[in-house]
Amino acid sequence: MVQKVAANREHLIVFTRYPEPGKAKTRLIPVLGAEGAAELHRQMAEHTLAQIRGLQAIRTLKVEVRFAGGDAARMQSWLGANLDYQVQPEGDLGDRMFQSFQSAYNNGSDATLIIGTDCPELDTLLMQKAFQTLHHHDLVLGPATDGGYYLIGLHHPIPELFQGIAWSTSQVLSQTVAIAERLNLAIAYLPTLSDVDHPQDLKIWQRKKSPHTPHPTPHTPHPTPHTPHPTPHTPMTNDE
């Protein structure tokens, strides 16, 4: 039997949304259709929760799901009743993350991570490493290949880290780091990983998913005269 590591007052917050067709993974609707994109979101969120359950087997921590769309009853029916569900606060991504850190801190947490469900390469061991690293640093960041981050960890809320950031752009990480350096924070970085947000990212999920997980059915869109360049995506946003 694996002995749990003592992890006093650690808190893991998951930003996600209810997998409603037309509102989940909207950037992938042109290739998967609304139903297929929602199904992909459902699969990736369940994959992330499976990694978290692995973490709970070796660490004592509180897990909170901050959701958009649906309601607490539907979220519990989907992901299980043994988690704490809270509606995401109002405001932009920075506002929502800061308020979530503040709430965790007010409830006794002294080491809090926020993650999303768009990064299938974020596994149990990496979340374990993030908590361990946070105990020796002020700030832990998981850089994403699109210029954002897939994980952020703090001991206490630092409002400056969430102000004046150009969310959903490739500048998110660099702007956050610049602020942290001005505040003389001790920063630690996890490995750089990729989110699954655009059609070219689907191969990442194909590599990570269970061999028994069905692949969302591709959707054949009507041809358009122009395909815009993909917009950089900030992890943990839930307007898709």
Side-chain angles (χ1 to χ4, degrees):
M1 180 177 179
V2 177
Q3 182 177 1
K4 287 192 177 183
V5 176
N8 187 35
R9 298 191 296 178
E10 292 183 340
H11 199 117
L12 176 61
I13 300 173
V14 185
F15 270 40
T16 192
R17 70 158 46 248
Y18 188 74
E20 182 178 351
K23 295 186 177 180
K25 307 303 291 178
T26 56
R27 293 175 180 86
L28 292 170
I29 288 177
V31 293
L32 297 179
E35 294 282 349
E39 172 64 14
L40 175 66
H41 172 72
R42 183 189 67 77
Q43 292 175 10
M44 291 204 303
E46 291 174 2
H47 171 80
T48 300
L49 264 293
Q51 302 306 308
I52 291 170
R53 291 187 189 99
L55 183 65
Q56 289 178 300
I58 56 176
R59 288 187 96 79
T60 301
L61 73 159
K62 179 178 180 179
V63 178
E64 176 183 323
V65 177
R66 292 263 174 170
F67 67 92
D71 54 37
R74 282 188 281 181
M75 292 297 295
Q76 288 179 0
S77 176
W78 172 32
L79 296 177
N82 60 338
L83 300 170
D84 181 20
Y85 295 94
Q86 299 290 334
V87 177
Q88 288 184 23
E90 297 294 325
D92 65 16
L93 178 60
D95 295 330
R96 288 180 275 148
M97 287 198 289
F98 173 72
Q99 292 179 59
S100 298
F101 272 119
Q102 185 70 63
S103 176
Y105 182 73
N106 290 346
N107 283 285
S109 174
D110 58 15
T112 302
L113 303 182
I114 294 181
I115 66 172
T117 59
D118 294 333
C119 184
E121 295 174 312
L122 175 58
D123 60 15
T124 296
L125 292 180
L126 196 52
M127 285 186 270
Q128 164 93 325
K129 180 180 179 181
F131 273 117
Q132 292 172 337
T133 304
L134 183 56
H135 286 297
H136 304 285
H137 295 80
D138 300 314
L139 168 67
V140 173
L141 291 168
T145 54
D146 63 6
Y149 52 78
Y150 60 85
L151 178 152
I152 180 170
L154 291 169
H155 294 284
H156 60 86
I158 302 176
E160 294 89 342
L161 293 175
F162 307 100
Q163 298 169 352
I165 304 293
W167 302 110
S168 298
T169 74
S170 59
Q171 302 176 62
V172 171
L173 180 67
S174 61
Q175 290 178 337
T176 302
V177 170
I179 294 169
E181 289 176 343
R182 286 201 300 271
L183 296 173
N184 294 315
L185 300 181
I187 311 169
Y189 298 95
L190 300 174
T192 300
L193 302 178
S194 297
D195 280 350
V196 176
D197 294 312
H198 302 288
Q200 63 268 30
D201 303 326
L202 289 171
K203 61 183 180 295
I204 299 168
W205 174 239
Q206 286 296 303
R207 291 198 300 265
K208 293 299 294 184
K209 72 174 185 175
S210 163
H212 304 294
T213 302
H215 182 63
T217 303
H219 170 73
T220 303
H222 293 293
T224 55
H226 172 68
T227 302
H229 184 72
T231 303
H233 172 71
T234 304
M236 300 177 290
T237 58
N238 296 292
D239 56 353
E240 58 163 354

